[in-house]
Amino acid sequence: MRNTKKLTFLGLFAAVAIVLSYVEHLLPPIYAAVPGIKLGLANIVNIFILYKFTVKEAATVTLVRILTVALIFGNFMTLMYSIAGAVLSITIMALLKKTQLFSTVGVSIAGGVCHNLGQILVAIAVTATAEIGYYMIFLCISGILSGTLIGIAGALILKYTKNLKGW
């Protein structure tokens, strides 16, 4: 019964992440002069699962979200960028969380910046143009800002759900 309950929760969290991605898809660009910058609202779910469950489960829910959102709103390249960003982001967040030297906000900031780095690395590989790396300056700023907001939201959700039983 325990596995069924956990699977149900993870399915619900994946659905919430997909809905948050959809909401973000509907929002106008944050800063039109620099395309591609988003808040990453679905990453609130990543932070929550990373702290309440396991890295494997956080990665699985993230993968389900990325595949679903890419099928609905994107294309093959969207999928490639998202997977590269997510793999680097989840890996770094898991390592930083494990050290216990960083707060939830610090882990989230690192995740935001690393997600952007993963996407830039794919862009450099696809275009064979290293100069795209200069775009990372803007993406670092956006990763820090959005990572802070997502980290604060995640920390608050973790704080207010710490006494919930049955995870």
Side-chain angles (χ1 to χ4, degrees), residues 13-95:
F13 292 133
V16 169
I18 291 165
V19 168
L20 288 172
S21 291
Y22 176 67
V23 167
E24 191 164 44
H25 180 76
L26 295 175
L27 297 174
I30 292 173
Y31 186 59
V34 184
I37 292 179
K38 296 182 177 184
L39 284 173
L41 294 174
N43 292 318
I44 295 169
V45 175
N46 290 357
I47 291 290
F48 182 81
I49 296 173
L50 192 62
Y51 280 86
K52 286 284 190 180
F53 292 92
T54 67
V55 175
K56 180 181 174 187
E57 291 158 343
T60 301
V61 168
T62 300
L63 182 62
V64 167
R65 174 187 54 89
I66 288 171
L67 290 172
T68 305
V69 170
L71 284 171
I72 295 171
F73 306 115
N75 54 40
F76 180 73
M77 288 312 296
T78 304
L79 181 64
M80 295 301 295
Y81 285 111
S82 295
I83 286 178
V87 166
L88 190 55
S89 175
I90 290 279
T91 302
I92 296 302
M93 288 193 307
L95 291 171

Side-chain angles (χ1 to χ4, degrees), residues 89-165:
S89 175
I90 290 279
T91 302
I92 296 302
M93 288 193 307
L95 291 171
L96 293 180
K97 178 188 172 278
K98 189 174 184 173
T99 68
Q100 297 183 348
L101 296 173
F102 298 88
S103 68
T104 307
V105 175
V107 169
S108 178
I109 290 170
V113 171
C114 287
H115 183 87
N116 292 338
L117 177 60
Q119 292 185 327
I120 285 292
L121 293 173
V122 169
I124 290 170
V126 167
T127 63
T129 308
E131 288 79 14
I132 293 174
Y134 290 116
Y135 193 53
M136 196 59 202
I137 295 166
F138 300 106
L139 293 178
C140 275
I141 294 167
S142 76
I144 291 167
L145 294 175
S146 65
T148 300
L149 294 173
I150 298 304
I152 290 169
L156 288 171
I157 292 168
L158 287 165
K159 177 182 175 184
Y160 290 111
T161 60
K162 72 179 176 189
N163 294 326
L164 289 179
K165 304 286 186 231

